[in-house]
Amino acid sequence: MTGKVIRALIVDDDAAARNRLRSLLESHDDVRVVQECEGGRSAVSAVRTEAPNLVFLDVEMPDLDGFGVITEVGAARMPPIVFTSAYSQYAVRAFEAYALDYLLKPFDGPRLAAAIDRARQSVHSAEAAVAADPRVTGLLDHLERELWEKHPESIAIKSGDKYTVIPLADVDWIEAHGNYSRVYVGKRPRLLTKTLATLEKEVLDPDVFVRVHRSAIVNTKKITSVEPDPHGDAKLILHDGTSIPCSRRYRDELGRKIYFST
């Protein structure tokens, strides 16, 4: 046991997750849970009144999310944070980019122990008590920029003297057609006066749409099977039976969107 007790605050709207985390923390003699909060609003109050020196902070909560908690309290007044999340894709990308610690649900003992070891260094550092963690402020700045750069949810395609509005979530795939593109919803194409490169760069969410061929972008949520061939290429089968070629050049990018088990 170290000389200084870590006063921990658990913030999570999932009771089972709170119970699991509290149970695992009991094996760490220098950690004492001072309060548990089931929402972001109560967490803001607890940070101010309980003065914890470590916060296990859930990312997704219905009343005020984890980033909202930091904004409300103020990054300069937040103690060291271990983010918790059930969404590994987001957590790995955002938190590792800023070297911030996180735990993925369901929690496990060894991963928690590693997080506690790192937290001890921050808690025992005099600097942690007098300055905002630049990694946290960097993440908040990044998230604020993302809000301004959010990808559209729909596209309006001109047809005659009117526009047809299509939710991008409904789009199956998009095919290059010279300086235009064909947007497929089901097997019906609609001509859009934008190149595939422009759509990829300015319109489409890269977490959902992936280039699989020099002339094709696919909505990964519409893929139902992948049929690789010995040469490194593959055939993608969409939910309606449409077959789209995926060239070897783009296989790695597809692998970053879809986990392939061995």
Side-chain angles (χ1 to χ4, degrees), residues 17-221:
R18 294 197 307 273
N19 293 339
R20 171 65 174 164
L21 184 53
R22 184 182 65 250
S23 176
L24 289 171
L25 288 172
E26 289 174 355
S27 64
H28 297 269
D29 294 337
D30 61 337
V31 179
R32 179 164 67 89
V33 177
V34 296
Q35 189 172 329
E36 296 178 27
C37 299
E38 61 181 18
R41 296 292 178 192
S42 59
V44 171
S45 176
V47 169
R48 291 168 174 165
T49 60
E50 295 292 341
N53 48 23
L54 179 62
V55 179
F56 292 92
L57 185 59
D58 190 18
V59 173
E60 295 287 336
M61 292 180 289
D63 62 339
L64 183 68
D65 67 18
F67 306 121
V69 171
I70 299 170
T71 301
E72 286 279 330
V73 173
R77 292 182 292 277
M78 280 296 295
I81 303 164
V82 176
F83 290 97
T84 65
S85 174
Y87 304 100
S88 59
Q89 183 181 18
Y90 178 80
V92 169
R93 187 172 66 249
F95 300 147
E96 288 190 349
Y98 289 89
L100 288 162
D101 209 356
Y102 63 91
L103 294 172
L104 297 182
K105 303 175 185 179
F107 306 125
D108 67 79
R111 182 67 182 86
L112 174 63
I116 291 292
D117 283 342
R118 284 188 287 271
R120 287 188 181 103
Q121 299 175 24
S122 296
V123 169
H124 298 161
S125 168
E127 183 181 347
V130 298
D133 188 332
R135 300 170 302 171
V136 173
T137 54
L139 176 61
L140 293 179
D141 289 344
H142 169 77
L143 292 171
E144 185 175 354
R145 289 194 301 271
E146 275 198 345
L147 288 176
W148 289 102
E149 298 169 1
K150 187 177 180 180
H151 298 279
E153 295 182 357
S154 302
I155 51 174
I157 300 178
K158 192 169 185 180
S159 177
D161 59 354
K162 67 176 183 179
Y163 286 87
T164 300
V165 177
I166 300 174
L168 283 167
D170 293 344
V171 173
D172 295 330
W173 70 291
I174 306 172
E175 179 184 29
H177 185 67
N179 290 325
Y180 300 142
S181 300
R182 288 193 181 108
V183 177
Y184 286 83
V185 178
K187 294 183 180 294
R188 179 182 179 184
R190 296 179 184 273
L191 194 64
L192 182 63
T193 57
K194 296 286 185 181
T195 65
L196 211 61
T198 297
L199 292 175
E200 184 177 30
K201 181 180 179 181
E202 300 179 3
V203 179
L204 302 174
D205 183 348
D207 287 338
V208 177
F209 289 88
V210 60
R211 174 87 71 137
V212 297
H213 192 274
R214 61 183 177 81
S215 61
I217 292 176
V218 172
N219 182 341
T220 56
K221 297 180 183 298

